[in-house]
Amino acid sequence: AALPEGVLAKLLKPENKAELVKILTYHVAAAKVLSTQLTNGEKITMVEGSNTTVSLVFNAIFIADGQGGDSRAGGAQVIQRDVEATNGVVHIISKVLLPPTPPPGPPAEKNIVELAASVPDLSILVTAVKAAGLVETLEGAGPFTVFAPTN
């Protein structure tokens, strides 16, 4: 169940910890579920927060990857079922599952200054930014994150 070359090394870097946690927790359901309890088309909520889908095909069990497609095409096959542990059960699968990627939001239409100026509850912030001579800076390329206090 190898990842593409370089992906594991990237994920193990401290700055990528959140992404690693998301991938690992997409492999964990917060309940003990034996293979005999699974049903075709069943949705299972993962600790990561997303759902995955189970497909039963003849005597095989497939778990959907979060990247789309059905569980047989893009998912993982359970290659060893019901390995009991003291605190649950493990099903060994054929590949790493990747969680769904949220769709990108609509592109921003305003820079930070324009956005703040369009929100009436940020008028004092806008006045302060102007008085401090920061308009040009906050209209720049960024990227910036502003924690904007309301009036």
Side-chain angles (χ1 to χ4, degrees):
L3 289 167
E5 188 171 333
V7 171
L8 180 59
K10 176 185 164 232
L11 288 170
L12 294 176
K13 292 181 179 178
E15 64 268 22
N16 297 319
K17 181 179 176 182
E19 186 178 358
L20 178 62
V21 167
K22 185 174 182 170
I23 291 170
L24 291 173
T25 56
Y26 188 67
H27 288 76
V28 181
K32 181 178 178 179
V33 183
L34 296 172
S35 63
T36 54
Q37 297 171 300
L38 297 171
T39 59
N40 192 44
E42 180 177 0
K43 302 271 188 219
I44 298 175
T45 301
M46 308 309 271
V47 171
E48 171 268 344
S50 300
N51 290 330
T52 189
T53 305
V54 174
S55 291
L56 304 178
V57 181
F58 298 107
N59 197 29
I61 301 170
F62 295 88
I63 308 298
D65 189 285
Q67 300 298 303
D70 94 8
S71 10
R72 292 165 294 175
Q77 183 171 0
V78 175
I79 55 176
Q80 188 173 352
R81 306 170 186 194
D82 303 326
V83 181
E84 292 277 353
T86 59
N87 60 346
V89 64
V90 175
H91 303 288
I92 299 172
I93 60 175
S94 61
K95 67 174 259 189
V96 174
L97 298 171
L98 296 175
T101 305
E109 296 177 6
K110 300 175 182 175
N111 65 42
I112 287 175
V113 174
E114 293 167 337
L115 177 97
S118 72
V119 178
D121 281 343
L122 299 179
S123 63
I124 293 174
L125 174 66
V126 172
T127 300
V129 166
K130 289 177 182 175
L134 292 173
V135 170
E136 187 175 323
T137 299
L138 292 175
E139 287 179 333
F144 303 110
T145 300
V146 175
F147 298 96
T150 59
N151 293 345

